[in-house]
Amino acid sequence: MTSSDSSTSAGPRLLGPAEVRSLAAALGVRPTKQRGQNFVIDPNTVRRIVRAAELSDGETVLEVGPGLGSLTLALLAEGHPVTAVEIDPVLASALPSTIATYAPHQAGDFTVIEADAMTVGPEQIGSPTACVANLPYNVAVPVLLHLLEVSPSLRHGLVMVQSEVADRLAAPPGSRTYGVPSAKAAWYAEVRRAGPVGRNVFWPAPNVDSGLVAFERREPPATSASREEVFAVIEAAFSQRRKTVRSALARWMPDRERLDEVFRVTGIDPGLRGEMLGITEFAALAGAGRGQSPV
């Protein structure tokens, strides 16, 4: 099989439209909306993603949803060992053969785990320092938050998601798209948009625009509250976006006098809406109200 990519025979060959469709046909695979699958068919796009990820030499990469291996091959081509998590058993079983064919000299740097990315832990994925992935669009946010929680070794990453989701993940407080995903992601990392991705680089072409999101891990804000307690405050604050944060948090803390004391202690204006508060403020509220259980 001839690759549309003109790299040397010693290095990995990347997958173009013909290779992707040929591999899919041989496996009897059709991308499914249920799993949010859209296969990248453009070698230049996967090269761009790897460059934009700003990986260190030889850095171990976690990839989620590798599909037929387009991005995997681009990562291996730049000398990065890859641990891939693939939920589809047909795709997972075919990936080692594809890597052996297109990147024979890098096959030893590739590991595939047949698993749901929403349930994997360090015992399966090891200690990768970066995550680079074309995330399944229907579960992109929960997958990213789960990986950041269970894999503290992840220092940074670049993921491709639906453009609207990219906006929400990277939104700052006070913006129209700021919400629960933005605030929760900010607990773990600094998140930013890293560019758009055209629809024609996928097969099948999605009905939505795509975007790249970069993240850099940082320490969560100082608080006596646990992550779960902070996230409970975030969820309560955005449960009624049009109400003040004091009204929205009434279900989290029904004792109004105690709630008012929380606002007084933290110095946060109870007349603001939740969308105006950053992760530091949510952490402060959770810490001041610690010991109070959401109802």
Side-chain angles (χ1 to χ4, degrees):
M1 184 181 297
T2 301
S3 170
S4 62
D5 179 59
S6 59
S7 57
T8 64
S9 58
R13 294 177 291 134
L14 305 187
L15 304 180
E19 289 77 23
V20 169
R21 289 185 171 90
S22 177
L23 286 169
L27 296 173
V29 167
R30 291 287 300 180
T32 67
K33 288 185 178 180
Q34 179 184 2
R35 288 182 172 162
Q37 292 172 326
N38 296 92
F39 299 139
V40 181
I41 58 175
D42 178 47
N44 287 328
T45 295
V46 291
R47 290 192 189 99
R48 173 193 166 201
I49 291 171
V50 175
R51 286 197 304 269
E54 299 181 349
L55 302 167
S56 302
D57 290 346
E59 188 168 11
T60 301
V61 176
L62 174 67
E63 183 185 5
V64 174
L68 293 167
S70 298
L71 179 57
T72 314
L73 288 165
L75 288 163
L76 291 170
E78 294 300 320
H80 301 292
V82 176
T83 297
V85 179
E86 176 57 63
I87 193 173
D88 188 312
V90 174
L91 294 174
S93 62
L95 276 165
S97 175
T98 300
I99 301 305
T101 299
Y102 285 84
H105 298 289
Q106 289 76 28
D109 289 331
F110 174 71
T111 302
V112 61
I113 300 164
E114 183 187 329
D116 183 345
M118 284 293 297
T119 63
V120 293
E123 68 282 359
Q124 293 163 285
I125 62 176
S127 301
T129 53
C131 177
V132 182
N134 172 20
L135 291 180
Y137 285 8
N138 54 345
V139 291
V141 170
V143 164
L144 181 58
L145 294 177
H146 173 73
L147 293 175
L148 286 167
E149 173 59 23
V150 303
S151 186
S153 64
L154 283 178
R155 297 186 296 104
H156 68 127
L158 185 82
V159 295
M160 183 156 53
V161 296
Q162 185 176 336
S163 184
E164 179 183 332
V165 173
D167 288 339
R168 290 204 297 268
L169 283 169
S175 65
R176 179 178 56 84
T177 51
Y178 182 69
V180 172
S182 327
K184 288 185 175 181
W187 170 264
Y188 299 105
E190 180 180 344
V191 184
R192 61 178 175 82
R193 284 290 303 255
V197 178
R199 300 185 186 191
N200 62 344
V201 305
F202 297 98
W203 173 67
N207 295 321
V208 295
D209 292 323
S210 303
L212 299 175
V213 172
F215 66 87
E216 191 81 28
R217 188 184 286 272
R218 63 185 178 200
E219 288 298 314
T223 177
S224 60
S226 67
R227 177 189 61 83
E228 291 83 0
E229 288 168 333
V230 175
F231 281 15
V233 174
I234 292 170
E235 290 164 3
F238 286 101
S239 63
Q240 302 176 74
R241 289 188 70 109
R242 295 185 179 183
K243 292 191 175 183
T244 66
V245 67
R246 180 181 184 275
S247 295
L249 292 183
R251 292 188 63 193
W252 169 69
M253 185 174 289
D255 184 336
R256 291 302 181 97
E257 290 187 5
R258 176 77 180 107
L259 183 58
D260 288 340
E261 176 66 9
V262 166
F263 280 109
R264 188 191 67 77
V265 168
T266 59
I268 295 170
D269 183 354
L272 293 174
R273 291 182 178 178
E275 63 202 55
M276 302 304 296
L277 305 183
I279 188 59
T280 302
E281 287 75 28
F282 287 125
L285 289 169
R290 199 155 188 259
Q292 301 294 320
S293 300
V295 296

